Amino acid sequence: MGGLPKKAQQLEELRKGKKAVLALDSGALLFKEEKIPPDQQQQLTTTAQGIVSAYNRMSFAAVGVARQDLAAGLAFLLSLQQKSDFPWLSANLVSRSQAKPYFKPHLVLRKGGIRIGVIGLTGPGPDAILPQKDNAVILPWDDVLPKEIAVLKGQTDMLVLLSNLPAPINRKIAETHPEIQLIVQAGTGSGNLVPERVNNTLITQVEQQGKSIGILEVRWNRHSRKWEDPGAKNLLLDKKNELDRLGWQINRYRKHGDPKLAFKGQAEVLAAYEELLAQRERLDQELCRLTKEENSRNAQGAQFSSFSHHFEAMRKELPDNPAVRAIVNATTSEVNRIGKNAAKARIADSSGENQKGSSGNYAGSTACTGCHAPQFAKWRGTQHAMAYDTLEAKGQQFNVQCLPCHITGPAAQTGQEMLALAHDLRQVGCESCHGPARAHTLQPAVAKAGRPTMDTCLRCHSGEHDDRFVFAEALSRLRCGAD
């Protein structure tokens, strides 16, 4: 929920500066996965309720029903629908016995003098997410979508599809149904997807869990209902954004002084820096070419519709919306309270196994001090060594959604085990980078410690948590000196 206060403030600022702002979400809003671990059910459903309260304050026009939103069960989502000030949309999630939709299949909105039809489609998958007792089924999209388009014909100037379908299916829809001018997909991949035109349909995606907001500015001609070819214009914007990102990464290296001196003897880091410089040079040349093309473009095509776009990451320096911040604080406080009670119950349960927390093959960082005292001392000065402390400072040390990136060995832990973890594993310790080390402490020459890879770091330093992570720079800064 961390990005919601900033997302809310961004929307508020947009509405101040624009005459018509339509806030839509394609779903995968409430949960990351399609299945919830039983011991995390209460915390995750509490978080979902807080998300809906925040979206109510943000005045969203509609949210699509994705399979991930059904992770706590259809009954739970139907109960949340009663608390939602916005409609949940799904044309193909229907009653098995009566074939009637459980949610609104579509709605028609008017913004800026344009009538906009919005349809929702839920993605297919294993039936386990909808047990027999739910009396529900997800119908094939091609059984439902043509009927929805026919119903909306003549009622709208523009059609938008909120889709939880796989990306190849969305492309097929764009190829066969030019009546749909925009597909916003969700829950089928990670990251932001720059709008791509397929036939007469734009397909785009914003990364999940409120980490970014996608802004699509549309200048729509309701008579032609056709997009102009963006040509060099949008490509030029993409390349400028890419150049900005490269500049930021290059400056990260230069913070240490001349990289050739600062990273002398670190061939891997210097090679990564030189590659960034080469990429920037190639981009500079391409930008010159694209700028010439843009300047020479013929100013025709006014009969067509056009768009521009950008993605706003919810960076820490952005201001928070006070009302949504209050909702997030109250929700996370309740989530932490639930976790604290669960931890107390586990420790107090005399029949439970491994009351101090399951450590599996993990030895704990203090076990490293005998042979690696200098490396241990360096680690103690890093933010990794204080990762659990930051949760305690925020009163979130019992939040199982946050814990995996603030402790050692999360892959082997269930939610309950994380809550009662041994004290020496309550931080991002040596074994977070080098792997479980109990065997290494017993036979150092036989069981060698592993080396961190980029994948090791990206388990937590991913786009949703750290959108400016540079592996080579981080490795050079945190390198403990171990062989």
Side-chain angles (χ1 to χ4, degrees), residues 20-152:
V21 175
L22 181 62
L24 298 171
D25 193 303
S26 289
L29 173 67
L30 304 179
F31 309 105
K32 293 182 180 180
E33 308 294 338
E34 293 182 13
K35 187 176 181 181
I36 294 178
D39 60 354
Q40 298 183 30
Q41 179 96 8
Q42 193 176 3
Q43 285 193 328
L44 292 175
T45 53
T46 297
T47 299
Q49 292 171 19
I51 291 172
V52 166
S53 295
Y55 265 50
N56 287 342
R57 292 299 301 240
M58 288 189 271
S59 300
F60 266 74
V63 175
V65 176
R67 291 181 60 82
Q68 292 87 334
D69 298 310
L70 296 164
L74 177 59
F76 175 74
L77 185 56
L78 288 171
S79 70
L80 270 190
Q81 181 177 227
Q82 303 304 314
K83 302 174 184 177
S84 303
D85 294 343
F86 52 86
W88 291 83
L89 301 183
S90 177
N92 61 330
L93 176 53
V94 304
S95 162
R96 188 185 296 272
S97 58
Q98 297 180 312
K100 291 184 178 180
Y102 278 101
F103 302 90
K104 279 190 173 186
H106 66 259
L107 76 160
V108 178
L109 304 161
R110 185 178 287 273
K111 287 288 180 180
I114 304 295
R115 299 171 301 169
I116 303 170
V118 185
I119 304 170
L121 286 179
T122 304
D127 291 337
I129 200 168
L130 293 171
Q132 192 70 28
K133 65 179 179 61
D134 282 346
N135 186 35
V137 64
I138 299 173
L139 297 177
W141 69 270
D142 43 357
D143 286 353
V144 173
L145 186 58
K147 298 175 184 177
E148 291 297 315
I149 294 173
V151 168
L152 292 170

Side-chain angles (χ1 to χ4, degrees), residues 194-197 228-245 282-294 297 307-309:
V194 171
E196 177 188 7
R197 197 180 74 162
E228 69 174 2
D229 188 344
K233 183 177 181 180
N234 287 311
L235 184 58
L236 182 63
L237 178 61
D238 293 340
K239 295 301 180 181
K240 286 180 178 178
N241 289 337
E242 187 177 347
L243 186 65
D244 288 342
R245 289 193 296 271
R282 290 194 294 269
L283 264 179
D284 280 335
Q285 294 173 357
E286 190 169 3
L287 276 169
C288 287
R289 178 181 63 80
L290 291 173
T291 300
K292 289 180 181 178
E293 290 181 8
E294 174 67 10
R297 288 182 67 195
F307 71 95
S308 60
H309 79 279

Side-chain angles (χ1 to χ4, degrees), residues 390-464:
T390 61
L391 286 185
E392 286 189 312
K394 296 178 180 179
Q396 288 300 296
Q397 70 271 33
F398 298 105
N399 189 333
V400 294
Q401 298 168 74
C402 303
L403 276 170
C405 289
H406 295 260
I407 61 175
T408 302
Q413 312 300 329
T414 66
Q416 289 185 351
E417 288 168 342
M418 284 191 287
L419 291 169
L421 201 62
H423 186 271
D424 197 31
L425 298 175
R426 294 179 185 173
Q427 67 278 310
V428 178
C430 305
E431 293 164 291
S432 294
C433 294
H434 299 287
R438 186 177 295 280
H440 177 69
T441 62
L442 298 174
Q443 295 181 298
V446 177
K448 297 284 188 179
R451 290 177 176 271
T453 65
M454 183 181 295
D455 288 340
T456 306
C457 301
L458 290 178
R459 287 179 301 192
C460 289
H461 292 279
S462 58
E464 64 178 284

Side-chain angles (χ1 to χ4, degrees), residues 1 46-47 50 53 323-338 396:
M1 297 184 71
T46 297
T47 299
S53 295
V324 174
R325 169 49 62 191
I327 292 171
V328 170
N329 288 347
T331 302
T332 53
S333 178
E334 176 61 12
V335 167
N336 199 60
R337 185 194 66 79
I338 293 168
Q396 288 300 296

